[in-house]
């Protein structure tokens, strides 16, 4: 694949405690992508609550074969943590696709990003990997490479004060703003423009059939007072 150095990066960090709306916002935003590859450790991107048309795959050999032949497709890989670097290499080789890595704290460390994951973050832009989304409940336990290269940082409700404090520091934001977030709210930072946004996620009521088309995400500019 020929690289293109003129392509812009879209590297997104999405964090928050369980139930804060991380995955549903990603599903909603990416549901119309034609080329999509997901590290789906908790098996939540296929089926009734997943992205329409997304295929569940549990074999690296099958995944590699699928993307090698596919001009388009949505694939969620459900496998052991030991497959993460191989999955990263498959994503890098496919290129010109959206990529999501769920629960990065389980497959990366704060000290160093795994080599193949580092390659995706640092060189994926030139291969049309856009967006590249890293998702975690515990950002302080995840690699710093994606945080340092992020073009968007989204933080939802976090149960532990230490986690809120860590993200407030990363987002250059008074921690009180994160402490006030409700269950389906988030704050998003554009690191380049230094603009903040407040997000509100509305989902179908409990007991109603799951439907991404009925999920609503509303963002409004947020003025931060220091």
């Amino acid at each position: 694949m020929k690289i293109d150095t003129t392509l812009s990066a879209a590297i997104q960090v999405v964090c928050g405690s369980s139930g804060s709306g991380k995955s549903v916002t990603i599903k909603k935003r990416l549901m119309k992508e034609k080329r999509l590859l997901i590290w789906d450790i908790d098996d939540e991107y296929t089926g009734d609550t997943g992205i329409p048309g997304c295929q569940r795959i549990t074999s690296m050999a099958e995944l590699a074969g699928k993307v090698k032949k596919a001009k388009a497709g949505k694939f969620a890989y459900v496998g052991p943590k030991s497959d993460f670097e191989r999955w990263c290499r498959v994503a890098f080789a496919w290129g010109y696709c959206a990529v999501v890595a769920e629960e990065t704290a389980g497959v990366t460390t704060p000290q160093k990003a795994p080599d193949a994951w580092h390659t995706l973050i640092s060189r994926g832009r030139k291969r049309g990997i856009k967006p590249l989304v890293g998702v975690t409940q515990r950002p302080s336990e995840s690699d710093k490479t994606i945080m340092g290269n992020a073009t968007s940082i989204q933080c939802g409700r976090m149960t532990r004060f230490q986690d809120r404090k860590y993200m407030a520091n990363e987002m250059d934001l008074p921690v009180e703003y994160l402490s006030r977030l409700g269950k389906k709210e988030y704050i998003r930072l554009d690191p380049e423009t230094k603009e903040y946004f407040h997000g509100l996620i509305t989902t179908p009521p409990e007991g109603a059939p799951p439907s991404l088309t009925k999920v609503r995400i509303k963002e409004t500019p947020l003025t931060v007072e220091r």
Side-chain angles (χ1 to χ4, degrees):
M1 176 185 295
K2 187 176 180 180
I3 64 172
D4 185 347
T5 58
T6 67
L7 296 174
S8 60
I11 300 172
Q12 303 172 6
V13 172
V14 179
C15 62
S17 296
S18 178
S20 62
K22 301 184 302 298
S23 295
V24 73
T25 62
I26 295 166
K27 293 174 189 177
K28 178 69 174 181
R29 290 167 181 164
L30 301 185
M31 62 184 293
K32 294 183 179 180
E33 291 284 344
K34 291 182 170 54
R35 289 167 63 93
L36 174 63
L37 188 59
I38 305 159
W39 173 257
D40 189 10
I41 193 70
D42 287 329
D43 194 9
E44 55 185 322
Y45 280 81
T46 60
D48 292 341
T49 60
I51 292 177
C54 192
Q55 300 178 50
R56 180 181 186 269
I57 297 179
T58 59
S59 160
M60 281 303 305
E62 181 186 1
L63 179 65
K66 288 272 189 181
V67 302
K68 185 176 182 180
K69 298 176 182 177
K71 291 184 178 179
K74 304 175 187 181
F75 308 107
Y77 183 69
V78 182
K81 294 178 181 180
S82 57
D83 282 345
F84 182 65
E85 287 216 69
R86 293 177 65 195
W87 174 85
C88 290
R89 288 193 286 270
V90 168
F92 188 73
W94 198 26
Y96 289 90
C97 58
V99 173
V100 178
E102 278 279 351
E103 302 300 344
T104 57
V107 287
T108 71
T109 69
Q111 288 73 35
K112 180 176 172 58
D115 289 344
W117 177 237
H118 186 280
T119 298
L120 266 183
I121 296 167
S122 61
R123 296 171 54 200
R125 169 185 68 86
K126 302 173 187 178
R127 299 177 70 88
I129 294 174
K130 181 178 181 178
L132 170 61
V133 186
V135 191
T136 181
Q137 294 183 35
R138 301 299 305 276
S140 62
E141 296 177 5
S142 303
D143 72 280
K144 303 299 187 294
T145 306
I146 191 168
M147 193 73 75
N149 287 275
T151 60
S152 173
I153 301 174
Q154 174 180 319
C155 182
R157 178 185 59 82
M158 306 195 82
T159 304
R160 295 178 70 249
F161 174 75
Q162 289 302 322
D163 291 329
R164 298 196 296 272
K165 185 177 179 181
Y166 175 84
M167 283 308 301
N169 183 62
E170 290 290 343
M171 299 174 74
D172 190 22
L173 182 74
V175 70
E176 290 78 12
Y177 282 84
L178 299 182
S179 297
R180 292 196 294 260
L181 288 175
K183 188 174 181 180
K184 299 294 184 183
E185 295 179 280
Y186 64 82
I187 293 175
R188 186 176 67 82
L189 166 67
D190 181 324
E192 183 175 348
T193 64
K194 306 299 183 185
E195 294 176 298
Y196 294 90
F197 302 88
H198 175 266
L200 178 63
I201 307 161
T202 304
T203 57
E206 188 174 349
S211 174
L212 282 179
T213 60
K214 294 183 179 180
V215 172
R216 299 289 182 265
I217 302 173
K218 182 180 180 181
E219 282 195 357
T220 53
L222 175 65
T223 300
V224 174
E225 297 181 359
R226 305 181 186 280

